[in-house]
Amino acid sequence: MLDAILVMSGLALFLGSLLGYASIRFHVQGNALVEKIDAILPQTQCAQCGFPGCRPYAEAIAEGRAEINQCPPGGEANIHKLADLLGVEFKSLNAKHGAEKPKSVAFIDENTCIGCTLCIQACPVDAISGAPKHMHTILSQECTGCELCIEPCPVDCISMVPVAVTVSNWKWKAPSYLQEAG
Amino acid sequence: MSSPYLSQPSSVSMIMLKVLCAMIPAIAADAWFFGPAVLVTICLASITALCVEALMLQLRNRPVLPFLMDGSALLTAWLLALSIPPMGPWWMIVTGTAFAIAISKHLYGGLGNNPFNPAMVGYAVLIISFPVQMTQWLAPESVAQAHLGLGEVLDYMFFHILPQGMNLDAVTSATPLDTLKTQLHMERPIGEILSMPIYGAMGGKGGEWMAAAYLAGGLYLLQQRIITWQVPVAFLASIFAISGLFHLADSAHHAGPFFHLASGASMIGAFFILTDPVTGPTTPKGKLLFATGAGILTYLIRTYGNYPDGVAFATLLMNICVPLIDAYTQPPVFGKKK
Amino acid sequence: MRKLFHFNGGVHPPQHKVESVKDPIRKPPLPEKLVIPLHQHIGTAAKVAVMVGERVLKGQKIGEATGNVSSAIHAPTSGKVLEIGNFPVAHPSGLSELCVTIAPDGMDEAAPFSPVDPFSMDPAEIRKILRDSGVVGLGGAVFPSAIKLNPGREKQVRTLVLNGAECEPYITCDDLLMRERADEIVKGAQIMRHLLHAEEVIVGIEDNKPEAIAAMKQAAGDEIEVVAVPTLYPGGGAKQLIRVLTGIEVPAGERSTDLGVQCFNVATAYTVYRAIACGEPVTSRIVTVTGNVKNPGNYEALIGTPMDFLIGLSEPLEGSRGALMGGPMMGFDLPSVSVPVVKATNCIIVKSEKLFPAPPTPMPCIRCGRCAASCPADLQPQELYWFAKAGNFGKAQEYSLFDCIECGCCSYVCPSHIPLVQFYRYAKSEIWAQEREKKSSDIARVRHEFRIERTEREKREKAERLAQKAAQTRAQIKAEENS
Ligand code: SF4
Ligand code: SF4
Ligand code: SF4
């Protein structure tokens, strides 16, 4: 009995120190970690997380100043990835920061647009083109759907339209049947 | 739904049914040589298995009927029933079967998800918990001092009553493998041991015929492509090789390879237990590795262990290694062969 | 005799080919309307080259090839352009794509065709003609042939393989084409061989088509070898056929050209011949209509013919419900039977409960390994299934998900009737979507960083300008004070 306890605790001690060593030895360096987190974040640059863009949020996560569940565009899938990367528990999306929704892109009603350039200044990725006093257009390929241009528009001519499903981006669904194992 | 829109008319139940059929010759041989007790055991185990299966499916919120019909619970029951002494007490059979189905199958996720062979888990639990009952094997009827009819068997199994004046020793004996081990311990020469009445031409009397029947059933399964050759061949070959080596090195203390092939659970193990797809590896190389390992372990446990036979523990030990074996024996993909 | 090789796995599904080979190729009447999608090939969709109301002639280009990988689209008959808009196309999604609708005028007046002599021409010119004639792989992959007919600079294509295996059940369009038009196929093969400078040409035909083999042998002469290959699905997959005929295994993600072999469908060779030697672009193809119909057969259908028009000609039987396009192993369920025939339409199978009963409810995987034993790509389908189902796509990729050719053998043999292939298609499309997202988020990151840099620079420049201005003013005031 006694030797069993001794062996077990010895083993526990050994494994524990091994784990401790590993966590020091393989600790990811600060900057590299920020890069890795930033690579997971969706780069919508919408600031819903409470930081002025994805990279500042990545830095905040790396420094432990922010939770991993503050990014609505990334959604649960990204939170899982962050949890895996950082070795922490998964948390569901914090509703205070918004809800996950299908990706949309901004659309400018070109008849209403007065060419005020306010939206251009708001766009974090320069996805709006247009000169002062001329109507503006969204480069929908580049638009991240951050919605930051909606508010500044004085004539409310910008709306969000969901990205259409086409033959080229259509996805096969997972088969669904009632009787599943596991 | 996506293509293909055609499928072969095979099903899990059909596979299980064929395996069950393949076991019938061995069961017949068992009943022929050792009396009707085995039939009672099989019935009892089957009923228990089906009830527990239905109960567990209900508890796990799964559709009961399709899974009950898949035959896997019956197969587990039969395998377990054939691995334990045929005239065990009823509660032992029920406990073993219930444990196999409820714990080692359903608690791990049910059909297709259990890492350990349920029948062997049931066997292991029984032999650890009830070592006495689990070693009371029936002697072949041609050797036994007395015979039991069906009624007497039922009396014993359910009420622990033997016919007046009869001693349990009159109908039971240790298995040939066990006897060999204990007698060798007592320094008896091997030739003398093997000429005891319970031994036949190759293995135990009766037992060797069951081995032959399992072999026949196994060949049927091979012919039906239910199982592949790798597991039986590698398992039997490795037992043959290692027992042959020991025999050559020291024939006074080690029985020959044919004795080992014809004794204990070698044949049922090779064709029916280790070939369980769920708990075995899927790659051809992995199957060879898995069965070879099981063969060596079986021999070592038989020879040096404390248990009458080694197939069950060898199977369980190799079951643990399956994910590893599978991961390391992935065959090269088309066009990427070295 | 040529030494044949074999590939692992494969299955023998019931053939159902005799039903549709009784008649020669039929010429259907003109339908009332032709709806011609502009995206019938792998690559970029063709750009509309006609206007609504315009009269077009047979063979006139109505879609211009754009981009590196693309192919032109032509009017199949003369008539008026009724409409240019989105219509449902033959795709498992049932979604719409841009189509040109033509109302035939019944005159079938052709634009002037200009045949050329391929053997005295610059190969690059010929490839251009092929691209402008809309020649794409007609085996089902519809990859623009001009690209595959480029031998590349260093590597030599030794062997040109013509695929007449037609391994899928029900389909017989290539069989009949070979029986009836073997000469043209052989001539097309000679043009292709010339383009590739190939040393040898081998035609592989499954041995369940003796008539086609005989016809092709007769047409082929000595220069082209016609080889009967064992009937084993998917022996007509390009990789499998190349393996059987040459022993070469083309790994996923590699071009067979780099291994000295190139493979085309026999129907493609036929269209190459028509395009070059007759100057006639691809405006029709042979389509097998079979399944639950009274009169199964093969039609030389104009591209754009509504499928239900062809089905009607074959007289669907009682109990018909929907149709498949392609074979039952790799084809797909048509969301609507009124979509138009495209270049990829080799076969239309009318379904019925009896021919295609609903599959039994799937059971859990029992790891029986039958799928792995039947997989021609030597994969472990049960592992792929496990990872795909768990959403563990990275692991699925590690287990070579993208080597899967979606042949369906694994699902076909699975005793648990698991829709394995659908799991793989699902996993693949999720991975593609993730990659698309990754790409666009990478672009967004760069653009965002660029913007930050720009605004900072502008701020800095403004500050500098102001500082300069201030310094100037100060200097000016000083100077004024001094004077
Ligand atoms: S919430 Fe917006 S800004 Fe913040 S990380 Fe997510 S996408 Fe980037
Ligand atoms: S054939 Fe089906 S049941 Fe068998 S291993 Fe493959 S997926 Fe599993
Ligand atoms: S569908 Fe993919 S995994 Fe299944 S048999 Fe074909 S190649 Fe193998």
Side-chain angles (χ1 to χ4, degrees), chain C residues 356-405:
Chain C
F356 300 99
T361 324
M363 296 284 286
C365 167
I366 54 167
R367 294 166 47 84
C368 67
R370 289 169 181 217
C371 48
S374 74
C375 176
D378 302 331
L379 302 175
Q380 296 288 311
Q382 78 282 2
E383 308 276 0
L384 291 176
Y385 154 66
W386 189 256
F387 296 131
K389 187 174 157 215
N392 197 344
F393 302 129
K395 209 66 184 153
Q397 254 172 303
E398 239 172 74
Y399 275 73
S400 313
L401 174 66
F402 283 97
D403 288 56
C404 166
I405 55 168

Short mmCIF file of all heavy atoms in Angstrom, two decimals, chain C residues 356-405:
data_model
loop_
_atom_site.label_atom_id
_atom_site.label_comp_id
_atom_site.label_asym_id
_atom_site.label_seq_id
_atom_site.Cartn_x
_atom_site.Cartn_y
_atom_site.Cartn_z
N PHE C 356 -33.75 3.16 -58.06
CA PHE C 356 -32.93 3.80 -57.03
C PHE C 356 -33.71 3.91 -55.73
O PHE C 356 -34.16 4.99 -55.38
CB PHE C 356 -32.46 5.18 -57.50
CG PHE C 356 -31.64 5.12 -58.75
CD1 PHE C 356 -32.21 5.38 -59.99
CD2 PHE C 356 -30.31 4.75 -58.69
CE1 PHE C 356 -31.45 5.31 -61.14
CE2 PHE C 356 -29.55 4.67 -59.84
CZ PHE C 356 -30.13 4.95 -61.08
N PRO C 357 -33.87 2.80 -55.04
CA PRO C 357 -34.61 2.86 -53.78
C PRO C 357 -33.86 3.73 -52.78
O PRO C 357 -32.63 3.85 -52.85
CB PRO C 357 -34.63 1.41 -53.32
CG PRO C 357 -33.53 0.73 -54.06
CD PRO C 357 -33.32 1.49 -55.33
N ALA C 358 -34.61 4.36 -51.90
CA ALA C 358 -33.98 5.18 -50.87
C ALA C 358 -33.02 4.31 -50.08
O ALA C 358 -33.33 3.16 -49.75
CB ALA C 358 -35.05 5.76 -49.95
N PRO C 359 -31.84 4.82 -49.80
CA PRO C 359 -30.87 3.99 -49.08
C PRO C 359 -31.34 3.72 -47.67
O PRO C 359 -32.05 4.53 -47.08
CB PRO C 359 -29.61 4.85 -49.08
CG PRO C 359 -30.10 6.25 -49.26
CD PRO C 359 -31.35 6.16 -50.04
N PRO C 360 -30.98 2.56 -47.11
CA PRO C 360 -31.37 2.27 -45.73
C PRO C 360 -30.73 3.31 -44.78
O PRO C 360 -29.72 3.91 -45.13
CB PRO C 360 -30.76 0.90 -45.45
CG PRO C 360 -30.19 0.41 -46.74
CD PRO C 360 -30.12 1.55 -47.68
N THR C 361 -31.35 3.49 -43.65
CA THR C 361 -30.79 4.45 -42.69
C THR C 361 -29.37 4.02 -42.31
O THR C 361 -29.13 2.84 -42.04
CB THR C 361 -31.62 4.44 -41.40
OG1 THR C 361 -32.96 4.26 -41.77
CG2 THR C 361 -31.44 5.74 -40.65
N PRO C 362 -28.45 4.96 -42.31
CA PRO C 362 -27.07 4.59 -41.99
C PRO C 362 -26.92 4.07 -40.56
O PRO C 362 -27.62 4.51 -39.66
CB PRO C 362 -26.31 5.90 -42.16
CG PRO C 362 -27.16 6.74 -43.02
CD PRO C 362 -28.56 6.36 -42.70
N MET C 363 -26.04 3.12 -40.40
CA MET C 363 -25.67 2.62 -39.09
C MET C 363 -24.28 3.19 -38.77
O MET C 363 -23.62 3.73 -39.64
CB MET C 363 -25.60 1.09 -39.13
CG MET C 363 -26.90 0.39 -39.43
SD MET C 363 -27.98 0.38 -38.00
CE MET C 363 -27.18 -0.86 -36.98
N PRO C 364 -23.84 3.03 -37.54
CA PRO C 364 -22.48 3.51 -37.25
C PRO C 364 -21.45 2.70 -38.04
O PRO C 364 -21.72 1.56 -38.42
CB PRO C 364 -22.33 3.24 -35.75
CG PRO C 364 -23.70 3.04 -35.23
CD PRO C 364 -24.52 2.52 -36.35
N CYS C 365 -20.30 3.29 -38.22
CA CYS C 365 -19.20 2.60 -38.89
C CYS C 365 -18.70 1.48 -37.99
O CYS C 365 -18.46 1.70 -36.81
CB CYS C 365 -18.07 3.57 -39.18
SG CYS C 365 -16.53 2.78 -39.65
N ILE C 366 -18.60 0.27 -38.55
CA ILE C 366 -18.10 -0.83 -37.72
C ILE C 366 -16.64 -1.13 -38.06
O ILE C 366 -16.13 -2.18 -37.70
CB ILE C 366 -18.97 -2.09 -37.88
CG1 ILE C 366 -19.08 -2.47 -39.35
CG2 ILE C 366 -20.34 -1.90 -37.27
CD1 ILE C 366 -19.64 -3.87 -39.55
N ARG C 367 -16.00 -0.24 -38.75
CA ARG C 367 -14.59 -0.35 -39.08
C ARG C 367 -14.26 -1.64 -39.81
O ARG C 367 -13.18 -2.22 -39.64
CB ARG C 367 -13.73 -0.24 -37.81
CG ARG C 367 -13.81 1.13 -37.16
CD ARG C 367 -13.24 1.13 -35.76
NE ARG C 367 -11.96 0.47 -35.69
CZ ARG C 367 -10.79 1.03 -35.97
NH1 ARG C 367 -10.75 2.28 -36.34
NH2 ARG C 367 -9.69 0.36 -35.87
N CYS C 368 -15.18 -2.08 -40.65
CA CYS C 368 -14.98 -3.36 -41.30
C CYS C 368 -13.89 -3.30 -42.36
O CYS C 368 -13.40 -4.32 -42.81
CB CYS C 368 -16.27 -3.85 -41.93
SG CYS C 368 -16.78 -2.81 -43.31
N GLY C 369 -13.55 -2.08 -42.79
CA GLY C 369 -12.45 -1.94 -43.73
C GLY C 369 -12.79 -2.25 -45.18
O GLY C 369 -11.93 -2.23 -46.04
N ARG C 370 -14.07 -2.50 -45.46
CA ARG C 370 -14.42 -2.78 -46.86
C ARG C 370 -14.21 -1.57 -47.74
O ARG C 370 -13.85 -1.68 -48.90
CB ARG C 370 -15.88 -3.19 -46.96
CG ARG C 370 -16.07 -4.53 -46.38
CD ARG C 370 -17.54 -4.81 -46.23
NE ARG C 370 -17.65 -6.12 -45.64
CZ ARG C 370 -18.59 -6.99 -45.95
NH1 ARG C 370 -19.52 -6.66 -46.80
NH2 ARG C 370 -18.61 -8.15 -45.38
N CYS C 371 -14.49 -0.40 -47.15
CA CYS C 371 -14.32 0.83 -47.93
C CYS C 371 -12.87 0.97 -48.34
O CYS C 371 -12.57 1.28 -49.49
CB CYS C 371 -14.79 2.03 -47.13
SG CYS C 371 -14.15 2.08 -45.45
N ALA C 372 -11.97 0.73 -47.39
CA ALA C 372 -10.54 0.88 -47.70
C ALA C 372 -10.13 -0.13 -48.76
O ALA C 372 -9.37 0.19 -49.67
CB ALA C 372 -9.71 0.71 -46.44
N ALA C 373 -10.68 -1.33 -48.67
CA ALA C 373 -10.31 -2.35 -49.64
C ALA C 373 -10.82 -2.01 -51.04
O ALA C 373 -10.27 -2.44 -52.03
CB ALA C 373 -10.86 -3.70 -49.21
N SER C 374 -11.88 -1.20 -51.12
CA SER C 374 -12.44 -0.90 -52.43
C SER C 374 -11.94 0.43 -52.99
O SER C 374 -12.26 0.80 -54.10
CB SER C 374 -13.97 -0.86 -52.35
OG SER C 374 -14.35 0.33 -51.70
N CYS C 375 -11.17 1.17 -52.19
CA CYS C 375 -10.80 2.53 -52.61
C CYS C 375 -9.68 2.51 -53.64
O CYS C 375 -8.59 2.05 -53.35
CB CYS C 375 -10.36 3.35 -51.40
SG CYS C 375 -9.78 4.98 -51.87
N PRO C 376 -9.95 3.03 -54.84
CA PRO C 376 -8.92 3.01 -55.87
C PRO C 376 -7.79 4.01 -55.59
O PRO C 376 -6.74 3.93 -56.20
CB PRO C 376 -9.68 3.40 -57.14
CG PRO C 376 -10.83 4.18 -56.65
CD PRO C 376 -11.20 3.61 -55.32
N ALA C 377 -8.02 4.93 -54.67
CA ALA C 377 -6.97 5.90 -54.35
C ALA C 377 -6.15 5.44 -53.14
O ALA C 377 -5.32 6.19 -52.65
CB ALA C 377 -7.58 7.27 -54.10
N ASP C 378 -6.40 4.24 -52.68
CA ASP C 378 -5.69 3.68 -51.53
C ASP C 378 -5.82 4.55 -50.28
O ASP C 378 -4.85 4.73 -49.53
CB ASP C 378 -4.21 3.47 -51.85
CG ASP C 378 -4.01 2.55 -53.04
OD1 ASP C 378 -4.88 1.70 -53.25
OD2 ASP C 378 -3.01 2.69 -53.75
N LEU C 379 -7.00 5.09 -50.07
CA LEU C 379 -7.22 5.90 -48.87
C LEU C 379 -7.82 5.02 -47.78
O LEU C 379 -8.10 3.85 -47.99
CB LEU C 379 -8.16 7.06 -49.19
CG LEU C 379 -7.68 7.98 -50.30
CD1 LEU C 379 -8.74 9.01 -50.62
CD2 LEU C 379 -6.40 8.67 -49.88
N GLN C 380 -8.04 5.63 -46.63
CA GLN C 380 -8.72 4.96 -45.52
C GLN C 380 -10.04 5.69 -45.31
O GLN C 380 -10.14 6.55 -44.43
CB GLN C 380 -7.85 5.03 -44.25
CG GLN C 380 -6.54 4.30 -44.37
CD GLN C 380 -6.72 2.80 -44.37
OE1 GLN C 380 -7.40 2.25 -43.54
NE2 GLN C 380 -6.14 2.14 -45.36
N PRO C 381 -11.05 5.37 -46.11
CA PRO C 381 -12.29 6.15 -46.06
C PRO C 381 -12.90 6.23 -44.67
O PRO C 381 -13.48 7.25 -44.31
CB PRO C 381 -13.21 5.41 -47.03
CG PRO C 381 -12.29 4.69 -47.95
CD PRO C 381 -11.10 4.31 -47.11
N GLN C 382 -12.75 5.17 -43.87
CA GLN C 382 -13.38 5.21 -42.55
C GLN C 382 -12.73 6.27 -41.67
O GLN C 382 -13.40 6.90 -40.87
CB GLN C 382 -13.38 3.82 -41.91
CG GLN C 382 -12.08 3.35 -41.30
CD GLN C 382 -11.07 2.86 -42.34
OE1 GLN C 382 -11.32 2.91 -43.53
NE2 GLN C 382 -9.92 2.41 -41.90
N GLU C 383 -11.44 6.50 -41.84
CA GLU C 383 -10.78 7.54 -41.06
C GLU C 383 -11.22 8.92 -41.56
O GLU C 383 -11.52 9.82 -40.77
CB GLU C 383 -9.26 7.44 -41.16
CG GLU C 383 -8.70 6.06 -40.86
CD GLU C 383 -8.50 5.81 -39.37
OE1 GLU C 383 -8.81 6.72 -38.58
OE2 GLU C 383 -8.05 4.71 -39.01
N LEU C 384 -11.26 9.06 -42.89
CA LEU C 384 -11.68 10.34 -43.46
C LEU C 384 -13.09 10.68 -42.99
O LEU C 384 -13.39 11.83 -42.65
CB LEU C 384 -11.68 10.26 -45.00
CG LEU C 384 -10.32 10.15 -45.66
CD1 LEU C 384 -10.50 10.00 -47.16
CD2 LEU C 384 -9.49 11.39 -45.36
N TYR C 385 -13.93 9.67 -42.98
CA TYR C 385 -15.31 9.86 -42.54
C TYR C 385 -15.34 10.34 -41.10
O TYR C 385 -16.04 11.29 -40.75
CB TYR C 385 -16.06 8.55 -42.69
CG TYR C 385 -17.25 8.37 -41.77
CD1 TYR C 385 -18.38 9.19 -41.91
CD2 TYR C 385 -17.25 7.41 -40.78
CE1 TYR C 385 -19.45 9.02 -41.06
CE2 TYR C 385 -18.32 7.24 -39.93
CZ TYR C 385 -19.41 8.05 -40.07
OH TYR C 385 -20.48 7.90 -39.24
N TRP C 386 -14.55 9.69 -40.29
CA TRP C 386 -14.50 10.02 -38.86
C TRP C 386 -14.11 11.49 -38.68
O TRP C 386 -14.76 12.24 -37.94
CB TRP C 386 -13.50 9.09 -38.19
CG TRP C 386 -13.50 9.17 -36.72
CD1 TRP C 386 -12.57 9.79 -35.95
CD2 TRP C 386 -14.48 8.65 -35.83
NE1 TRP C 386 -12.90 9.68 -34.64
CE2 TRP C 386 -14.08 8.99 -34.53
CE3 TRP C 386 -15.67 7.93 -36.03
CZ2 TRP C 386 -14.81 8.63 -33.42
CZ3 TRP C 386 -16.39 7.59 -34.91
CH2 TRP C 386 -15.96 7.93 -33.63
N PHE C 387 -13.06 11.91 -39.37
CA PHE C 387 -12.58 13.28 -39.21
C PHE C 387 -13.56 14.28 -39.81
O PHE C 387 -13.80 15.34 -39.24
CB PHE C 387 -11.20 13.44 -39.85
CG PHE C 387 -10.15 12.60 -39.18
CD1 PHE C 387 -9.30 11.80 -39.91
CD2 PHE C 387 -10.02 12.62 -37.80
CE1 PHE C 387 -8.34 11.02 -39.28
CE2 PHE C 387 -9.06 11.85 -37.16
CZ PHE C 387 -8.23 11.05 -37.91
N ALA C 388 -14.10 13.95 -40.98
CA ALA C 388 -15.02 14.88 -41.63
C ALA C 388 -16.26 15.07 -40.76
O ALA C 388 -16.76 16.19 -40.59
CB ALA C 388 -15.41 14.36 -43.01
N LYS C 389 -16.72 13.98 -40.18
CA LYS C 389 -17.94 14.06 -39.39
C LYS C 389 -17.70 14.89 -38.13
O LYS C 389 -18.56 15.64 -37.70
CB LYS C 389 -18.37 12.64 -39.02
CG LYS C 389 -19.70 12.59 -38.34
CD LYS C 389 -20.12 11.15 -38.15
CE LYS C 389 -21.11 11.07 -37.04
NZ LYS C 389 -20.95 9.85 -36.27
N ALA C 390 -16.51 14.75 -37.56
CA ALA C 390 -16.18 15.49 -36.35
C ALA C 390 -15.82 16.94 -36.67
O ALA C 390 -15.53 17.71 -35.77
CB ALA C 390 -15.03 14.81 -35.63
N GLY C 391 -15.81 17.29 -37.96
CA GLY C 391 -15.43 18.65 -38.32
C GLY C 391 -13.93 18.89 -38.18
O GLY C 391 -13.47 20.02 -38.16
N ASN C 392 -13.18 17.80 -38.08
CA ASN C 392 -11.73 17.92 -37.92
C ASN C 392 -11.08 17.90 -39.30
O ASN C 392 -10.45 16.93 -39.71
CB ASN C 392 -11.25 16.72 -37.08
CG ASN C 392 -9.88 16.94 -36.51
OD1 ASN C 392 -9.17 17.83 -36.96
ND2 ASN C 392 -9.50 16.14 -35.55
N PHE C 393 -11.25 19.02 -40.02
CA PHE C 393 -10.87 19.03 -41.43
C PHE C 393 -9.36 18.96 -41.62
O PHE C 393 -8.88 18.40 -42.60
CB PHE C 393 -11.43 20.27 -42.12
CG PHE C 393 -12.92 20.35 -42.02
CD1 PHE C 393 -13.54 21.50 -41.58
CD2 PHE C 393 -13.70 19.26 -42.34
CE1 PHE C 393 -14.92 21.57 -41.47
CE2 PHE C 393 -15.08 19.31 -42.24
CZ PHE C 393 -15.69 20.47 -41.80
N GLY C 394 -8.61 19.54 -40.69
CA GLY C 394 -7.15 19.50 -40.81
C GLY C 394 -6.67 18.06 -40.81
O GLY C 394 -5.85 17.66 -41.63
N LYS C 395 -7.23 17.28 -39.91
CA LYS C 395 -6.84 15.88 -39.80
C LYS C 395 -7.26 15.14 -41.08
O LYS C 395 -6.52 14.29 -41.58
CB LYS C 395 -7.56 15.29 -38.59
CG LYS C 395 -6.88 14.19 -37.89
CD LYS C 395 -5.60 14.51 -37.20
CE LYS C 395 -5.05 13.19 -36.65
NZ LYS C 395 -3.63 13.20 -36.53
N ALA C 396 -8.44 15.47 -41.59
CA ALA C 396 -8.89 14.83 -42.82
C ALA C 396 -7.90 15.10 -43.94
O ALA C 396 -7.59 14.22 -44.74
CB ALA C 396 -10.29 15.31 -43.20
N GLN C 397 -7.39 16.32 -43.99
CA GLN C 397 -6.44 16.66 -45.03
C GLN C 397 -5.13 15.89 -44.84
O GLN C 397 -4.53 15.45 -45.79
CB GLN C 397 -6.14 18.16 -44.99
CG GLN C 397 -6.79 18.89 -46.14
CD GLN C 397 -6.65 20.39 -46.00
OE1 GLN C 397 -7.06 20.96 -45.00
NE2 GLN C 397 -6.06 21.01 -46.98
N GLU C 398 -4.76 15.72 -43.58
CA GLU C 398 -3.56 14.93 -43.28
C GLU C 398 -3.72 13.51 -43.80
O GLU C 398 -2.77 12.89 -44.23
CB GLU C 398 -3.39 14.85 -41.76
CG GLU C 398 -2.10 15.39 -41.23
CD GLU C 398 -2.17 15.43 -39.72
OE1 GLU C 398 -2.09 14.34 -39.12
OE2 GLU C 398 -2.32 16.53 -39.15
N TYR C 399 -4.94 13.01 -43.74
CA TYR C 399 -5.19 11.66 -44.25
C TYR C 399 -5.57 11.71 -45.73
O TYR C 399 -6.32 10.87 -46.22
CB TYR C 399 -6.29 10.98 -43.42
CG TYR C 399 -5.75 10.32 -42.18
CD1 TYR C 399 -5.34 11.08 -41.09
CD2 TYR C 399 -5.60 8.94 -42.09
CE1 TYR C 399 -4.82 10.49 -39.96
CE2 TYR C 399 -5.08 8.34 -40.95
CZ TYR C 399 -4.70 9.13 -39.89
OH TYR C 399 -4.17 8.53 -38.77
N SER C 400 -5.07 12.70 -46.43
CA SER C 400 -5.16 12.79 -47.90
C SER C 400 -6.58 12.92 -48.43
O SER C 400 -6.91 12.31 -49.45
CB SER C 400 -4.49 11.59 -48.57
OG SER C 400 -3.24 11.35 -48.03
N LEU C 401 -7.40 13.71 -47.78
CA LEU C 401 -8.76 13.92 -48.28
C LEU C 401 -8.77 14.33 -49.74
O LEU C 401 -9.60 13.88 -50.52
CB LEU C 401 -9.46 15.00 -47.43
CG LEU C 401 -10.83 15.44 -47.91
CD1 LEU C 401 -11.82 14.31 -47.80
CD2 LEU C 401 -11.34 16.63 -47.11
N PHE C 402 -7.82 15.18 -50.13
CA PHE C 402 -7.88 15.71 -51.49
C PHE C 402 -7.33 14.73 -52.53
O PHE C 402 -7.30 15.04 -53.70
CB PHE C 402 -7.19 17.08 -51.57
CG PHE C 402 -8.08 18.15 -50.99
CD1 PHE C 402 -7.93 18.57 -49.69
CD2 PHE C 402 -9.12 18.68 -51.75
CE1 PHE C 402 -8.78 19.53 -49.15
CE2 PHE C 402 -9.97 19.63 -51.22
CZ PHE C 402 -9.80 20.06 -49.93
N ASP C 403 -6.92 13.55 -52.10
CA ASP C 403 -6.59 12.51 -53.06
C ASP C 403 -7.82 11.71 -53.44
O ASP C 403 -7.78 10.89 -54.35
CB ASP C 403 -5.54 11.56 -52.49
CG ASP C 403 -4.17 12.20 -52.42
OD1 ASP C 403 -4.07 13.27 -51.79
OD2 ASP C 403 -3.22 11.66 -52.98
N CYS C 404 -8.89 11.94 -52.72
CA CYS C 404 -10.13 11.22 -52.99
C CYS C 404 -10.71 11.71 -54.30
O CYS C 404 -10.84 12.90 -54.52
CB CYS C 404 -11.13 11.46 -51.86
SG CYS C 404 -12.81 10.96 -52.27
N ILE C 405 -11.02 10.76 -55.20
CA ILE C 405 -11.56 11.14 -56.51
C ILE C 405 -13.09 11.08 -56.51
O ILE C 405 -13.71 11.20 -57.55
CB ILE C 405 -11.00 10.25 -57.62
CG1 ILE C 405 -11.25 8.76 -57.31
CG2 ILE C 405 -9.50 10.48 -57.79
CD1 ILE C 405 -10.99 7.86 -58.49
#
